[in-house]
Amino acid sequence: MLIRLLRARLGPYKKPIALLVLLQLLQTSASLYLPTLNADIIDNGVVTGDTRYILEFGGIMIAVSVVQVVCNIGAVYYGARTASALGRDVRAAVFERVQSFSAREVGKFGAPSLITRTTNDVQQVQMLVLMAFTLMVSAPIMCVGGIVMALGQDVPLSGVLLAVVPVLGISVSLIVRRMRPLFRTMQERLDVVNRVLREQIAGNRVIRAFVRDEYEKGRFREANTALTDVSLSSGRLMALMFPIVMTVVNISSIAVVWFGAHRIESGGMEIGALTAFLAYLMQIVMAVMMATFMFMMVPRAEVCAERIEEVLDTASSVVPPASPVRELRRHGQLELRGAEFRYPGAEEPVIRDVDLVARPGETTAIIGSTGSGKSTLLGLVPRLFDATGGEVLVDGVDVRTLDPALMAKTVSLVPQKPYLFSGTVATNLRYGKPDATDEELWHALEVAQAREFVERLEGGIDAPISQGGTNVSGGQRQRLAIARTLVQRPEIYLFDDSFSALDYATDAALRAALGRETAEATVVIVAQRVSTIRDADRIVVLDEGRVVGTGRHHELMESNATYREIVLSQLTEAEAA
């Protein structure tokens, strides 16, 4: 997965990568040439006392060192830029794919996991690429080059390398093999910590209300301890890596000095050659250590790449049409024909065989007990998820063939839990119509019964709104969400229990103003409160995902037992009449 991800995402950066490799080759070649120059100075300058030779070759060493430094700076610069660009592109790709997901795919992964995959997982892959460009490219060149140059200094002494390199390779591979499953567990437990933390922040009021602080502390402590335990397990394996490498290095250095001293004594080797050989041994070991450092990062990056690819490979169940319809008659008629929705793997559908017609200039209400499928039914219209059976039609056209931009202009949904974005009142109201004037915003606020409290805010429509709208009350959030929809002025309004947080007086005033504002539009209201929908032109009664009654309030009171039971649970017989 890691190789596939990098191959796909690094394609546009072939030129900077080629330049980076060239610079790494030059700087590594310069590093390999320096010990040979140093050996020549010792053997031909220091031993013989030739100062001119020392100065001449010392100048060459300085020039080679300058080339090495310049090339290294250039390689790190291009490596950092390319790795950062890769991280940016992968984050953008994950974000774009998540944006295309329906509610089904978002629920499958979960918000905490998607956040971790977009941030932490991408960062791990980005860090691996940065280390690869700055370390791993030069490591094999230095290792192979060091062996070749060491052989050039003394072939018999190079036998030490035959023992050092395989021992290091085997040791590192055994440790890396055990680290990989630990890193997958680590990322999964990081998801759990994110989920618990998000729940505790979002549900802070509930926790305080039920005095469950200690219980939630225990939940977080458990998740945190689980993450710490697996981090310690991987850390112990990492801790073994460098001692093993350094032990092998030190033993090999002792062996080189021991055998090299005997060869110098026998006249088979010069002192400068032994010095150069030790330098090449250290370069070879440094290359292996750099590779070791990379191998420590690879398992975690592989796991992260798999998690990223899982998101990128997941196709949305709501697919944009290949040949979208970009124009409608714009009458706003909504029709469901035998609509059905079933969750993947579910034995029974949530809704089934639903036939419904909502016409312009009329208000259609949907009512039913909890879990009867009201919100699911409404979600089929703007394609929060697609019907698994039957059709959903707008002006006689299946919504699955509509252009998404046309859908957004035609249909607007005020969800059961309205969400406001960080910004101002104005930026939230202009979410569906960026070019709306201030007069349009104030008019929408007035219809939504929100003008009075917005005027009291410091800054009016420019007053700040925090993420999720947490600095305003639930009723204020609902009214702002309704105003946001009114600014857009769609043909079809969908209100999913959008008046539940309002008091009766505000509810009545809002519905009266809304009736005048949407007189020519199609309005569909899902509500639990009978008083909200009793004056609707058509009331649809849902029970266990099926339509069990359709008609006006007085008709259903006489003919439909389900509706009558719902009404009498809220009103007296006299009030219902």
Side-chain angles (χ1 to χ4, degrees):
M1 285 293 186
L2 180 61
I3 299 299
R4 191 179 84 173
L5 179 67
L6 297 182
R7 187 185 294 122
R9 300 295 167 181
L10 289 176
Y13 305 102
K14 291 180 180 178
K15 288 184 178 179
I17 291 174
L19 180 58
L20 181 151
V21 172
L22 177 61
L23 290 171
Q24 289 283 30
L25 178 62
L26 290 174
Q27 76 96 5
T28 306
S29 300
S31 298
L32 291 170
Y33 187 41
L34 287 173
T36 299
L37 287 174
N38 189 43
D40 285 342
I41 290 174
I42 292 173
D43 292 336
N44 302 319
V46 176
V47 174
T48 60
D50 190 341
T51 305
R52 186 187 64 79
Y53 191 91
I54 294 172
L55 293 174
E56 182 180 334
F57 275 79
I60 295 174
M61 285 188 72
I62 292 172
V64 172
S65 298
V66 171
V67 171
Q68 177 195 9
V69 171
V70 171
C71 290
N72 193 33
I73 292 172
V76 171
Y77 171 76
Y78 282 106
R81 285 197 60 178
T82 306
S84 298
L86 171 74
R88 177 199 62 203
D89 294 347
V90 175
R91 276 192 299 273
V94 174
F95 177 80
E96 185 176 340
R97 178 52 58 94
V98 172
Q99 287 293 96
S100 72
F101 283 170
S102 70
R104 181 190 297 181
E105 286 77 44
V106 173
K108 171 187 171 184
F109 287 103
S113 181
L114 288 173
I115 292 172
T116 305
R117 291 169 197 247
T118 310
T119 53
N120 186 271
D121 288 5
V122 174
Q123 186 179 23
Q124 294 299 327
V125 174
Q126 179 180 327
M127 285 299 299
L128 175 74
V129 172
L130 177 61
M131 292 297 103
F133 286 155
T134 54
L135 298 179
M136 198 59 186
V137 172
S138 61
I141 303 172
M142 186 174 290
C143 186
V144 175
I147 293 172
V148 172
M149 297 298 284
L151 286 169
Q153 295 296 325
D154 191 79
V155 174
L157 195 58
S158 301
V160 175
L161 301 177
L162 295 175
V164 174
V165 176
V167 169
L168 284 175
I170 293 171
S171 302
V172 169
S173 62
L174 288 175
I175 294 174
V176 168
R177 186 176 178 182
R178 294 190 60 188
M179 287 171 65
R180 195 176 187 282
L182 290 176
F183 282 130
R184 170 167 283 282
T185 305
M186 186 185 299
Q187 294 304 112
E188 291 171 353
R189 292 185 180 178
L190 186 60
D191 286 346
V192 175
V193 170
N194 280 341
R195 188 189 72 237
V196 172
L197 189 60
R198 280 171 58 86
E199 287 177 350
Q200 291 177 353
I201 292 173
N204 182 263
R205 292 182 180 179
V206 178
I207 295 168
R208 293 290 178 86
F210 286 91
V211 195
R212 299 291 283 173
D213 303 66
E214 293 303 320
Y215 172 74
E216 291 300 329
K217 287 178 183 177
R219 283 184 66 213
F220 183 80
R221 185 164 52 248
E222 183 179 339
N224 196 23
T225 301
L227 176 60
T228 303
D229 290 343
V230 73
S231 299
L232 287 173
S233 298
S234 62
R236 292 187 191 101
L237 288 174
M238 286 185 185
L240 286 175
M241 192 87 75
F242 285 106
I244 290 173
V245 171
M246 292 309 300
T247 300
V248 175
V249 168
N250 292 331
I251 291 174
S252 59
S253 298
I254 293 170
V256 167
V257 172
W258 176 269
F259 291 113
H262 284 290
R263 286 192 54 74
I264 291 172
E265 185 181 12
S266 63
M269 188 180 187
E270 298 292 335
I271 295 175
L274 177 60
T275 305
F277 192 94
L278 281 170
Y280 287 127
L281 175 64
M282 291 307 299
Q283 286 184 340
I284 294 167
V285 171
M286 283 300 298
V288 174
M289 288 184 68
M290 286 190 288
T292 300
F293 186 68
M294 284 296 303
F295 285 136
M296 290 166 60
M297 299 183 66
V298 166
R300 189 171 187 180
E302 280 184 340
V303 170
C304 293
E306 287 178 8
R307 287 159 52 87
I308 292 168
E309 286 290 346
E310 282 176 6
V311 176
L312 297 178
D313 290 343
T314 300
S316 175
S317 57
V318 176
V319 183
S323 301
V325 175
R326 291 189 168 86
E327 189 174 355
L328 290 171
R329 297 194 305 268
R330 302 290 287 172
H331 293 155
Q333 179 164 306
L334 171 65
E335 183 177 0
L336 280 75
R337 296 178 184 169
E340 176 185 291
F341 180 75
R342 182 193 302 266
Y343 284 103
E347 294 182 2
E348 296 291 331
V350 180
I351 58 173
R352 70 188 84 184
D353 302 325
V354 174
D355 294 313
L356 183 151
V357 178
R359 298 181 178 87
E362 295 182 352
T363 298
T364 301
I366 301 173
I367 194 168
S369 58
T370 302
S372 58
K374 303 184 297 297
S375 296
T376 302
L377 179 62
L378 225 58
L380 296 178
V381 182
R383 299 190 71 195
L384 299 184
F385 25 73
D386 278 339
T388 54
E391 295 177 300
V392 180
L393 308 171
V394 172
D395 288 333
V397 179
D398 194 312
V399 293
R400 286 171 287 201
T401 65
L402 288 179
D403 181 69
L406 178 60
M407 170 72 80
K409 292 179 181 177
T410 307
V411 179
S412 186
L413 170 68
V414 182
Q416 193 171 10
K417 295 180 180 179
Y419 190 89
L420 301 179
F421 296 90
S422 57
T424 64
V425 172
T427 58
N428 274 279
L429 296 184
R430 289 192 175 102
Y431 200 74
K433 189 180 179 183
D435 58 346
T437 63
D438 286 358
E439 288 74 18
E440 289 178 290
L441 302 188
W442 282 115
H443 176 70
L445 288 169
E446 188 168 354
V447 173
Q449 309 302 302
R451 178 167 189 145
E452 184 179 347
F453 87 80
V454 171
E455 285 178 337
R456 290 200 304 267
L457 296 175
E458 187 176 348
I461 58 173
D462 294 318
I465 296 292
S466 60
Q467 181 183 354
T470 54
N471 62 330
V472 293
S473 70
Q476 291 170 340
R477 275 200 300 275
Q478 284 192 337
R479 283 178 279 170
L480 289 175
I482 292 169
R484 178 169 58 191
T485 298
L486 292 170
V487 169
Q488 191 177 352
R489 302 193 68 80
E491 297 291 318
I492 300 173
Y493 291 84
L494 306 176
F495 296 100
D496 185 5
D497 205 11
S498 308
F499 312 100
S500 58
L502 306 181
D503 59 80
Y504 282 98
T506 304
D507 184 359
L510 194 154
R511 283 188 287 112
L514 201 59
R516 295 188 294 270
E517 187 72 13
T518 62
E520 297 180 0
T522 301
V523 178
V524 181
I525 299 175
V526 165
Q528 298 282 358
R529 191 185 294 172
V530 173
S531 60
T532 301
I533 54 95
R534 64 185 299 169
D535 296 324
D537 299 290
R538 185 182 297 102
I539 299 173
V540 178
V541 184
L542 280 184
D543 186 31
E544 296 183 354
R546 293 180 183 273
V547 176
V548 295
T550 303
R552 295 183 69 88
H553 172 72
H554 66 276
E555 297 170 348
L556 292 170
M557 281 294 293
E558 295 175 0
S559 62
N560 191 278
T562 303
Y563 182 74
R564 182 179 177 83
E565 183 182 344
I566 294 171
V567 172
L568 294 180
S569 69
Q570 300 179 30
L571 307 173
T572 65
E573 189 79 41
E575 290 172 331

